[in-house]
Amino acid sequence: MGGLKSRHIFSAAAVAAAVLIIFCAVNIQERKKEENKGIKIGVSVYKSNDAFVAEIVKYMEESAREYEQETGVKINLDVSAAKSSQRTQNEQIKRYISLGYDVICVNIVDRTDASSIIDSATAEGIPIVFFNREPVYEDILRGENIYYVGTDAKSTALLQAQMLIDIYDADPLSLDKNGDGKLQYVMLEGETGHQDAIIRTDWSVQTVANHGITMEKLTGGAADWDKNQAAALMEQWIGTYGKSIEVVLCNNDEMALGAVNALEAAGMEETAVFGIDATEEGAEAVKDGRLLGTVNCNASYQGESIFGLAVSLGRYGRPPEDLPITDGRYIRSPIEIVKQ
Ligand code: GAL
Ligand code: CA
């Protein structure tokens, strides 16, 4: 009898153990499924045809594909362009939120107008990575999981100035063609109100002047980062100032390339043109001697960091440990001079 009873107890225990094992296995499987569940990243850029931003996005897409291969986690990277309209961008972001995206990356149209995007995403607990167009600090602090990836605008201007200073110091007459001891320059500026346009315009000239080189501004104007607009302005300025233009300072490479096109058309290839970004075309133009120099703002580093930050925020709700975050919220890409 005793033997029978203990056999019963034994088989009850075996059943319980089996149930437990199955339960655990199901649980582990569930957890695995949860860990490997796809991540949806919604991206909105201010417009589709900005050369430098398009390069950043290209590197984000490459990083996403590599991540998928390495981890087996499916990444849905959905990119939309806002056609330079903040209203359109707000709609795109609302859509990402309503579709339950895990994280949102924003190249904001109007950098002074980030608060409504931030408030609607944080209300749903969705992290935001801003990039390239920098919201004001007070807005960044409106939510817990808000970050910014970009360059430090002032450093890019200092390096652009440094290039010019080095060339001048080595051979002043190579830039000061009329030998009057001053550099007659024109300035091609990016969009009015953009942090990079304001700061680059001020600091490039100021740094050169602080070094003791006399800068004489002939004229300047905003060409919205755009090659064709820059070429049109440059053509006008060539009409007015002709060969007395010794230096063309440009807030980015696209405008520098536009300026070069206009200068070449006027037979003024010798004029010194400086850009910023080192886009593929910009870096190529430096190699070919069409641009005197540019500053590499590292689109690849930016794209990889935006993706790395986004995927970690989306999966684990926190930034990854291997990215250098300053002031709790900022990733600034390393930059360097690119010259012949
Ligand atoms: C700047 C860049 C420009 C343009 C702009 C768009 O940082 O130098 O080429 O891409 O951002 O916001
Ligand atoms: Ca001169």
Side-chain angles (χ1 to χ4, degrees):
M1 281 293 274
L4 196 62
K5 193 173 171 196
S6 72
R7 258 212 310 279
H8 268 138
I9 291 171
F10 175 74
S11 55
V15 168
V19 167
L20 194 69
I21 287 167
I22 290 168
F23 180 76
C24 285
V26 168
N27 227 355
I28 287 168
Q29 247 179 11
E30 275 301 306
R31 220 181 315 138
K32 273 220 169 116
K33 234 202 265 161
E34 179 65 19
E35 273 171 17
N36 286 339
K37 104 174 164 45
I39 296 293
K40 289 197 286 187
I41 303 175
V43 183
S44 173
V45 294
Y46 83 110
K47 65 177 189 180
S48 61
N49 58 345
D50 179 292
F52 186 65
V53 171
E55 284 186 16
I56 293 177
V57 171
K58 184 189 82 182
Y59 285 109
M60 289 169 71
E61 284 166 341
E62 271 180 31
S63 303
R65 279 194 297 272
E66 272 167 30
Y67 189 89
E68 274 186 338
Q69 271 165 12
E70 277 164 22
T71 60
V73 174
K74 172 108 187 67
I75 303 293
N76 178 353
L77 191 79
D78 194 347
V79 182
S80 42
K83 301 194 177 104
S84 296
S85 153
Q86 191 57 62
R87 266 185 64 186
T88 304
Q89 185 162 61
N90 291 351
E91 292 303 318
Q92 290 168 344
I93 286 159
K94 262 191 214 143
R95 186 179 148 266
Y96 289 143
I97 293 172
S98 69
L99 292 174
Y101 276 62
D102 298 289
V103 51
I104 295 170
C105 303
V106 189
N107 177 228
I108 195 164
V109 175
D110 178 354
R111 52 184 289 266
T112 62
D113 198 9
S115 56
S116 69
I117 292 177
I118 293 173
D119 292 347
S120 39
T122 44
E124 302 296 326
I126 302 172
I128 308 180
V129 180
F130 287 99
F131 64 100
N132 169 264
R133 303 166 70 85
E134 185 173 343
V136 295
Y137 187 51
E138 292 70 38
D139 282 343
I140 294 276
L141 294 182
R142 283 176 89 90
E144 231 172 77
N145 266 332
I146 316 285
Y147 296 86
Y148 176 75
V149 178
T151 46
D152 175 56
K154 185 172 164 188
S155 312
T156 57
L158 297 187
L159 289 192
Q160 189 182 53
Q162 194 55 50
M163 263 186 301
L164 190 155
I165 289 169
D166 290 345
I167 294 169
Y168 186 90
D169 283 352
D171 178 9
L173 292 180
S174 70
L175 295 177
D176 178 16
K177 296 264 171 31
N178 66 359
D180 68 349
K182 302 178 202 160
L183 286 184
Q184 281 76 25
Y185 75 97
V186 299
M187 172 71 75
L188 277 166
E189 299 170 17
E191 278 167 279
T192 311
H194 190 299
Q195 83 280 346
D196 289 335
I198 301 165
I199 296 172
R200 288 173 185 172
T201 300
D202 288 352
W203 280 100
S204 58
V205 176
Q206 230 184 89
T207 309
V208 175
N210 289 347
H211 184 73
I213 300 172
T214 308
M215 298 292 282
E216 187 183 333
K217 184 173 186 175
L218 298 177
T219 187
D224 291 348
W225 310 118
D226 183 80
K227 193 189 280 174
N228 294 332
Q229 283 191 50
L233 268 187
M234 195 67 215
E235 206 184 307
Q236 277 178 32
W237 297 343
I238 291 170
T240 312
Y241 302 99
K243 293 221 156 79
S244 58
I245 303 171
E246 295 173 330
V247 173
V248 185
L249 289 174
C250 310
N251 285 172
N252 79 339
D253 282 357
E254 281 294 288
M255 296 191 296
L257 291 163
V260 165
N261 288 344
L263 288 164
E264 286 173 353
M268 288 174 59
E269 291 84 355
E270 296 303 304
T271 310
V273 184
F274 295 93
I276 290 181
D277 277 346
T279 55
E280 277 156 29
E281 207 187 333
E284 203 52 41
V286 174
K287 268 196 209 140
D288 297 344
R290 299 175 73 221
L291 282 186
L292 216 45
T294 185
V295 177
N296 185 358
C297 294
N298 225 323
S300 60
Y301 182 92
Q302 295 195 38
E304 285 157 18
S305 309
I306 297 160
F307 174 76
L309 194 51
V311 79
S312 177
L313 289 167
R315 277 188 86 181
Y316 311 113
R318 56 178 157 72
E321 259 138 40
D322 59 349
L323 282 177
I325 296 182
T326 50
D327 296 331
R329 304 301 181 102
Y330 294 87
I331 295 180
R332 303 282 183 191
S333 69
I335 55 170
E336 61 182 1
I337 284 177
V338 180
K339 58 183 183 189
Q340 288 163 40

